[in-house]
Structure formats: structure tokens, C-alpha cells
């Protein structure tokens, strides 16, 4: 008979910084803050956990973090720890974000002015995303509906997905019947091969 979980394993909750639970966060400000301020305390947390004489637990051997917290990748690299990123939304949404750069390069976003929200521009067919042929600009994640090239959410999403190339592995919330075409697409294979060339 297996020993109780509390005896056979140890699980410790750790927080980067205390935060009152009653505060409603402004999402763009939170994303910007996460990108700019979380690396240092996360690095300190890893250092503390890896100090076995202090923590009295085994050292960290793997990190699994949300794709929108790619700051963990730099810390993982410094400590030589594998870091897998979890994309909790569907695989197709990840591929949509991967192609944000193409939308910028083709001049489809940011919008020229607010009239582009209603003048039919959002009905532009996007035909270069494998597995998503025939979708329209309005079907893509809405962070692109901005006139500001420095929009926090558009650039945050773009940066986090591009940083994910450096992950040890990517974990998607999907099943093969839904996401199979995505994983076999040339865009995804190129995305992962670019990751390999970046890491080498």
C-alpha cells in the first residue's frame, strides 16, 4: 500500500509577491508589469528552492509555465533547467498569434483609423494560415483591432508567442482531431525549426 501523499511527496506553494485577492487587475497593465518586473523575483525563487540546505526539498528539475509568462525562459536558461510552456487556449489560437507578425508586415494592422472597424476591412480574407483557410481578419484574436502600433496587448501577445520558440517544449490544450492539421502544417514546422536554430 502506497504511503500517504504527504509522506511520499512534498508540494510547496510559492508566490513571487503578495497581492490582495480583492483587487481587480487592469489586464494591459498587468501584462506590462509581468514582462518588466517578474524575472528578478522568479530568479530569486529558483535560487531559494535550489538551495537544498535552506529549502530542505529536492532542487527544481523542470519548469512548466504559462506561455504568457515567458520571462521564466530566461531564468530557466540561467539555471540550466528545462522550461515547457503551456498554451491553455486552443492550438489554432496559438497559430493565429504566430501570424500577427505577418499581419503587421502586410500592413493589415494596426488599423489606419477607427473607420476600419466598420468599413469592411475586418472582412479581409486571411488565406495563408494553414488549417485556418478562409477565415477573415475579424475572426482573429481581437488584440489587432487597434490603431496604435505600440498597443500593449498586441505587442505583448506578439512578443510572448515569439519568445515561446525558446521553450524546451510546448503544451497545447487540444485533441488531435481538432488540432492535427495545425501540428502538421508548414507554418508550425517552420516555427519549431526556427526555435531549434535559435537555441543552437
Amino acid at each position: 500500500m502506497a504511503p500517504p501523499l504527504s509522506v511520499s511527496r512534498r508540494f510547496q506553494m510559492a508566490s513571487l509577491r503578495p497581492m490582495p485577492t480583492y483587487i481587480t487587475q487592469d489586464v494591459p497593465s498587468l501584462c506590462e508589469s509581468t514582462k518588466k518586473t517578474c524575472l528578478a523575483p522568479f530568479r530569486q525563487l529558483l535560487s531559494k528552492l535550489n538551495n537544498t540546505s535552506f529549502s530542505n526539498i529536492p532542487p527544481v528539475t523542470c519548469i512548466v509555465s504559462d506561455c504568457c509568462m515567458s520571462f521564466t525562459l530566461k531564468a530557466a536558461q540561467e539555471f540550466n533547467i528545462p522550461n515547457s510552456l503551456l498554451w491553455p487556449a486552443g492550438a489554432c489560437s496559438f497559430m493565429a498569434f504566430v501570424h500577427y507578425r505577418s499581419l503587421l508586415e502586410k500592413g493589415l494592422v494596426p488599423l489606419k483609423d477607427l473607420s476600419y472597424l466598420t468599413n469592411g476591412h475586418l472582412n479581409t480574407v486571411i488565406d495563408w494560415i494553414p488549417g485556418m483557410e478562409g477565415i477573415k481578419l475579424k475572426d482573429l484574436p481581437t488584440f489587432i483591432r487597434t490603431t496604435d502600433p505600440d498597443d500593449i496587448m498586441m505587442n505583448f501577445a506578439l512578443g510572448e508567442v515569439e519568445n515561446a520558440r525558446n521553450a524546451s517544449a510546448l503544451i497545447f490544450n487540444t485533441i488531435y482531431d481538432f488540432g492535427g492539421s495545425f501540428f502538421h502544417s508548414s507554418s508550425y514546422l517552420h516555427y519549431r525549426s526556427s526555435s531549434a536554430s535559435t537555441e543552437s
Side-chain angles (χ1 to χ4, degrees):
M1 183 175 180
L5 183 61
S6 59
V7 174
S8 61
R9 300 176 183 174
R10 292 195 60 179
F11 183 81
Q12 178 178 339
M13 291 294 294
S15 175
L16 296 185
R17 59 183 60 189
M19 183 177 295
T21 58
Y22 57 82
I23 293 180
T24 300
Q25 297 290 307
D26 175 70
V27 175
S29 297
L30 180 62
C31 291
E32 188 78 352
S33 176
T34 298
K35 184 172 63 174
K36 292 181 177 179
T37 66
C38 284
L39 174 59
F42 185 69
R43 184 190 286 125
Q44 293 169 4
L45 175 62
L46 285 179
S47 181
K48 177 181 176 181
L49 293 175
N50 280 344
N51 184 350
T52 54
S53 62
F54 175 80
S55 63
N56 198 32
I57 59 175
V60 177
T61 56
C62 179
I63 299 170
V64 179
S65 51
D66 191 286
C67 262
C68 291
M69 295 189 175
S70 67
F71 64 85
T72 60
L73 292 170
K74 187 170 184 178
Q77 185 178 32
E78 293 172 2
F79 284 85
N80 197 28
I81 301 172
N83 190 170
S84 297
L85 294 182
L86 168 66
W87 185 261
C92 64
S93 68
F94 181 85
M95 183 53 76
F97 283 116
V98 166
H99 284 273
Y100 264 23
R101 180 68 65 190
S102 297
L103 297 175
L104 287 167
E105 292 172 350
K106 293 176 183 291
L108 293 171
V109 298
L111 306 181
K112 307 300 183 187
D113 56 61
L114 292 179
S115 70
Y116 277 61
L117 291 171
T118 57
N119 68 2
H121 178 69
L122 294 181
N123 288 321
T124 301
V125 175
I126 308 299
D127 57 4
W128 66 81
I129 304 180
M132 301 172 67
E133 291 83 357
I135 66 167
K136 298 178 180 179
L137 195 59
K138 66 181 180 181
D139 301 319
L140 297 177
T142 58
F143 297 144
I144 57 174
R145 299 185 190 184
T146 178
T147 60
D148 182 5
D150 297 318
D151 181 81
I152 291 175
M153 293 308 299
M154 180 179 71
N155 286 287
F156 178 80
L158 177 64
E160 294 302 282
V161 168
E162 291 186 343
N163 288 340
R165 297 176 188 272
N166 299 315
S168 305
L170 295 174
I171 306 169
F172 292 97
N173 177 28
T174 191
I175 59 176
Y176 187 81
D177 288 345
F178 289 156
S181 60
F182 159 72
F183 295 111
H184 291 293
S185 72
S186 58
S187 290
Y188 178 71
L189 295 176
H190 175 71
Y191 177 86
R192 292 305 291 160
S193 65
S194 297
S195 170
S197 64
T198 300
E199 294 167 1
S200 60

